Amino acid sequence: MDETLINDKIDAYLDEHWDDIVADIDTLVRIPSVEELDKAAEGAPYGPGPREALTAALKMAERMGLETCDVEGHIGYADLPGGTDGQIGIIGHMDVVPAGPGWTFEPYEVTRKDGYLIGRGVIDDKGPSVVALHAVKFWKDLQDAGVAERFPYTVRFLFGANEETGMADVTYYRERYADPLFLFTPDAEFPVCYGEKGLYDGFVTAPCSPAGRIVELVGGVATNAVPGEAHAIVRADAADLPAAERITVTAEGEGLARIAGAGRNAHASTPEAGVSAIGVVVDYLLANGLCDDAERTFLGFEQRLIAHTDGSGLGIACEDEHFGPLTAVGGTVRTQDGCFVQSIDIRFPTAITADAITEKIRAAAEAAGCTYRTGREEEPFLMDPQSPVIQALLSAYNEATGENAETFTMGGGTYARHFSNAASFGPEKSWEKMPEWVGSMHGPDEGVSEQLLKDAFRIYALTLGKLMKLEF
């Protein structure tokens, strides 16, 4: 089909159906689809909320005339059949994180204000999923009207239900179905992400001494973030302790002082943007001798971990041409069962392996009198940025926006890394400034520009047309 005609048809679809698209987003946002494993049941493995949202999404696709299938409540899919069984896949997720405190708008409905949509999931990932699903419907309508030919490949839209807490939905699906020939997920940033760093975490445990100076050491709320708050309770007179930047000292009771540190939060993939509150407290404890010998050894390990976000303090610093440097974050520390437990989050390039990281950290931990256990270990996911599929996505983006953007990689993780041939593909544009009253994903007043979603629809519609011209 002529490119000018396609663009005219896209404009016409948006003019006619935009309010319908917003209504469909609202239908999903009204469902608090948060994981509740204690309420899991047959057909609802992640709880009633994800189950309800999955049902609503499948009904939406069925209403559009697509062929749907519910995969035991773990995931669902909707097909636009093509000339072959080979599939071009799209995957979004219907689950969300909890609303949490701080909202000034109702979290579980869509509020339209000044060209923005506000509500839990409007950008992560219900809004983008609905927009991408309508891009499939756009092509189905053209085929039904005889304006466009039937696609050579089947389009399969996958509706996930467990992205936020573990992606067990994709594991369940891939055990039963072959991967699409290529797949993208509208759950990241534009223009096109062709690779995701390896994901790694672990836990260092240091025994506490009943006779030690440190009674409690606590910091951070998430293992995958630079902590903004931390504190230690130590055996000392608060009146004798000096002032310091980012430190607040208060009496905690007779013979005890509370050392509170203030940092700046940042995601673990961009630790250079943050200031670790745990590091602030650790530095103060060491500078003022608020530790015994064993505690000093552990705090020295803490300092080497936290002060060097490239991993050089643990001997794991490295980089490659696609991902740049490794990042390392000590996101949380807790006092548990007479021990200090420090979490470690690492995002690593192809220049090192998970096994090598484990070996280095375990050696450093044992040298500090600690034990170490690993958690998640996922190797980097990397596509060829010059491959026809990645270039098709990039071409659609640049054509729709008039930009001359380039592909990129990131330190986060999406559904894409769990498939053999995939990419994460918008619709976020972190460089575009939003009004102060519009919140970010996972935060209160989560919001998205209606224009951004309209642009995403155009990009996804063009992308499907371009992918269908490729030979797989």
Side-chain angles (χ1 to χ4, degrees), residues 274-467:
V275 175
S276 171
I278 297 174
V280 170
V281 172
V282 165
D283 289 348
Y284 186 88
L285 296 177
L286 285 170
N288 292 282
L290 296 171
C291 51
D292 64 18
D293 290 343
E295 291 167 343
R296 183 181 300 278
T297 302
F298 168 67
L299 294 178
F301 174 90
E302 290 281 87
Q303 203 170 53
R304 291 191 297 277
L305 163 65
I306 294 165
H308 306 282
T309 59
D310 64 352
S312 57
L314 302 178
I316 56 174
C318 61
E319 60 183 283
D320 69 11
E321 61 176 318
H322 293 288
F323 293 110
L326 174 149
T327 60
V329 165
T332 63
V333 66
R334 297 285 183 267
T335 306
Q336 299 174 349
D337 302 324
C339 296
F340 302 129
V341 181
Q342 172 68 58
S343 70
I344 299 177
D345 181 293
I346 292 170
R347 313 296 169 103
F348 63 99
T350 59
I352 197 170
T353 65
D355 287 345
I357 292 171
T358 297
E359 182 181 351
K360 292 281 190 179
I361 297 179
R362 177 167 285 125
E366 290 177 353
C370 306
T371 59
Y372 181 65
R373 64 179 176 87
T374 59
R376 174 176 58 177
E377 298 181 14
E378 297 184 25
E379 296 296 330
F381 170 74
L382 185 64
M383 293 280 291
D384 178 359
Q386 298 303 318
S387 66
V389 286
I390 299 298
Q391 287 300 307
L393 271 57
L394 182 63
S395 173
Y397 175 84
N398 284 333
E399 182 179 320
T401 63
E403 299 176 21
N404 188 28
E406 297 293 339
T407 56
F408 70 99
T409 62
M410 67 177 180
T414 71
Y415 275 138
R417 70 185 304 121
H418 295 280
F419 290 86
S420 53
N421 195 24
S424 52
F425 188 37
E428 300 161 53
K429 291 184 176 182
S430 61
W431 60 91
E432 292 190 349
K433 186 174 178 57
M434 297 190 296
E436 291 185 1
W437 52 268
V438 178
S440 60
M441 68 169 64
H442 291 199
D445 297 334
E446 176 184 342
V448 63
S449 159
E450 292 192 47
Q451 187 58 53
L452 175 60
L453 292 181
K454 288 180 179 180
D455 291 344
F457 173 85
R458 180 182 302 279
I459 292 164
Y460 295 144
L462 291 173
T463 295
L464 286 172
K466 291 180 181 296
L467 290 173

Side-chain angles (χ1 to χ4, degrees), residues 22 25-26 29-30 102-123 434-440 443-450 453:
V22 173
I25 296 171
D26 181 62
V29 168
R30 286 178 179 272
W103 286 75
T104 56
F105 297 88
E106 168 56 45
Y108 293 117
E109 66 180 48
V110 169
T111 300
R112 298 179 82 170
K113 178 182 177 181
D114 299 341
Y116 286 83
L117 307 181
I118 307 294
R120 176 56 85 225
V122 293
I123 186 62
M434 297 190 296
E436 291 185 1
W437 52 268
V438 178
S440 60
D445 297 334
E446 176 184 342
V448 63
S449 159
E450 292 192 47
L453 292 181

Side-chain angles (χ1 to χ4, degrees), residues 20-21 24 27 56-66 68 133-134 137:
D20 298 331
I21 292 174
D24 285 342
T27 294
L58 290 172
K59 286 183 177 178
M60 195 178 294
E62 191 172 298
R63 185 197 72 213
M64 295 178 181
L66 303 179
T68 62
L133 182 63
H134 271 270
K137 180 180 182 293

Side-chain angles (χ1 to χ4, degrees), residues 51-73:
R51 169 68 271 176
E52 184 181 353
L54 180 56
T55 297
L58 290 172
K59 286 183 177 178
M60 195 178 294
E62 191 172 298
R63 185 197 72 213
M64 295 178 181
L66 303 179
E67 299 177 4
T68 62
C69 178
D70 181 347
V71 187
E72 290 82 49

Side-chain angles (χ1 to χ4, degrees), residues 215-232:
V215 177
E216 180 177 275
L217 181 60
V218 175
V221 295
T223 60
N224 64 345
V226 176
E229 296 181 353
H231 75 265

Side-chain angles (χ1 to χ4, degrees), residues 11-96:
D11 289 339
Y13 189 97
L14 282 171
D15 288 343
E16 182 178 354
H17 295 286
W18 182 247
D19 286 344
D20 298 331
I21 292 174
V22 173
D24 285 342
I25 296 171
D26 181 62
T27 294
L28 295 178
V29 168
R30 286 178 179 272
I31 302 168
S33 48
V34 176
E35 180 186 75
E36 295 180 282
L37 295 181
D38 59 323
K39 298 180 181 178
E42 185 176 354
Y46 312 116
R51 169 68 271 176
E52 184 181 353
L54 180 56
T55 297
L58 290 172
K59 286 183 177 178
M60 195 178 294
E62 191 172 298
R63 185 197 72 213
M64 295 178 181
L66 303 179
E67 299 177 4
T68 62
C69 178
D70 181 347
V71 187
E72 290 82 49
H74 288 266
I75 198 168
Y77 63 82
D79 285 349
L80 173 59
T84 66
D85 291 334
Q87 298 166 5
I88 299 297
I90 306 172
I91 184 168
H93 64 89
M94 300 300 102
D95 60 317
V96 294

